[in-house]
Amino acid sequence: MADAEWTVERHLSGRPPEIVALYHRFIELAGACGPFTYSVAKSAITLKGARRGFAGARPGNRALSGYLDLQRRVDDPRITRSSPYTGRLYVHQFRIRAPGELDDEFAGWIHEAYQVGNGAHLGPRPHPTLAP
């Protein structure tokens, strides 16, 4: 099927209920940041802010995988890989297996990514000693 035929429902179809619940919690956390739109392709469900995509999700059979675009590198067991994306952004691949992993810290990363989606990375660079 062409990418145009991919939908959120198709990504969730046949997935275990606990993974579907993790996906919905992820979307709830993103929605708490403000409005966003979806761009759905075979590879992922991308969440887009006013300027660009900022996060994505891939519901699997054993975990919710995805990515967050952040202005800093995060080191955490939920982050499976972090690599420079542009001169100002790092893409963080994550894997979530349990509801407790979508905690306040993870919600904060989503909020940071949401700011990127709205263009926060386009402003002046923060002073290195003042970065979070």
Side-chain angles (χ1 to χ4, degrees):
M1 287 189 156
D3 282 349
E5 297 175 21
W6 279 88
T7 63
V8 170
E9 293 75 23
R10 186 171 174 201
H11 274 279
L12 297 175
S13 178
R15 300 294 179 222
E18 59 272 15
I19 301 303
V20 173
L22 290 175
Y23 169 78
H24 286 301
R25 177 66 179 143
F26 177 77
I27 295 302
E28 181 182 329
L29 293 173
C33 299
F36 64 86
T37 59
Y38 294 91
S39 177
V40 184
K42 181 179 181 180
S43 60
I45 302 163
T46 298
L47 311 184
K48 297 177 80 173
R51 302 284 307 219
R52 66 184 312 278
F54 62 90
R58 290 182 297 278
N61 289 324
R62 293 182 218 163
L64 175 68
S65 298
Y67 67 89
L68 301 168
D69 289 343
L70 302 174
Q71 295 184 78
R72 63 186 177 104
R73 189 179 298 266
V74 171
D75 182 29
D76 184 273
R78 295 168 285 192
I79 304 298
T80 59
R81 185 174 66 223
S82 174
S83 54
Y85 182 67
T86 69
R88 294 180 174 223
L89 297 176
Y90 295 87
V91 62
H92 294 74
Q93 303 293 325
F94 66 82
R95 184 172 296 119
I96 301 296
R97 292 186 174 96
E101 293 180 290
L102 292 171
D103 58 11
D104 289 344
E105 183 176 33
F106 197 92
W109 300 336
I110 294 174
H111 180 76
E112 287 180 44
Y114 182 81
Q115 297 304 315
V116 167
N118 287 328
H121 64 295
L122 301 174
R125 290 180 185 240
H127 189 277
T129 59
L130 301 177

